[in-house]
Structures are given as structure tokens and as C-alpha cells.
Amino acid sequence: MTMNDFIGRHRVVTASDLLELALGTPLDLWLGEDGESEQERAAREAAARDILADDPALADRTLRVAAQAIETHMPELFRITPPAPAVRRRAARTGVAA
């Protein structure tokens, strides 16, 4: 990002600014804050549910933004190596594992 990055009329200074402007909501709404009480957490989660109910496509947009950010900045997280096949062992009458 440079000092001239804007989304609409809003200047983007940090990655958090970019995410908040892309999502249209503050990140704390989704991530919570350190030291929040159970009551604050419940209220925050209720507000988040209301926002998702009003804009069901927000979850898909959020996942897309997150995936693009990971692909750009941490592509190794998308390089998934399949696990080695499990070796099945059966005990034969002779006691030899297959």
C-alpha cells in the first residue's frame, strides 16, 4: 500500500483499514476485543448475526477477501500435500502383518 491508496473517499493506511473498508464493518465486530465480558461478547455476536441476516452474501465476500489475502501474502498455506496413504495391517493366521 502507498500513501495514495483510497477506497472511495477513504484513505487506506493499514491492512486493517483495507479489510474494514472491503467488508463495510469494523474487524472487532468479527474478531472481538481483548478483555471483553461475556455480555459484551454476546452483544457483539448478536450484532454480527443481524448483519449476516441482512446481508447473506457478506460471508462469501469475506471468505473471498481472506482467500485473496492469503494467496497474495502467504501462498504456501494453499499448497496442500495429500497425506501418505495409510498402511493397513492385518494379522494373518501366521501373525505376519500385510
Side-chain angles (χ1 to χ4, degrees):
M1 276 178 274
T2 67
M3 291 177 41
N4 296 319
D5 288 331
F6 286 84
I7 294 179
R9 294 176 287 149
H10 304 279
R11 183 173 169 208
V12 177
V13 178
T14 67
S16 293
D17 292 344
L18 179 64
L19 288 172
E20 286 187 10
L21 289 167
L23 298 174
T25 62
L27 292 179
D28 291 343
L29 176 68
W30 308 104
L31 303 176
E33 294 184 22
D34 290 336
E36 72 182 357
S37 69
E38 286 298 317
Q39 186 177 20
E40 291 168 327
R41 180 176 179 243
R44 177 180 56 77
E45 289 176 347
R49 281 191 295 276
D50 288 346
I51 289 170
L52 289 173
D54 289 343
D55 186 1
L58 178 61
D60 289 337
R61 288 195 314 270
T62 303
L63 289 174
R64 196 172 315 115
V65 167
Q68 288 171 345
I70 290 169
E71 186 175 39
T72 300
H73 300 288
M74 296 179 285
E76 65 277 4
L77 293 179
F78 282 138
R79 291 191 200 111
I80 299 172
T81 305
V87 177
R88 293 188 178 184
R89 297 177 187 257
R90 320 181 274 188
R93 290 181 194 205
T94 60
V96 177

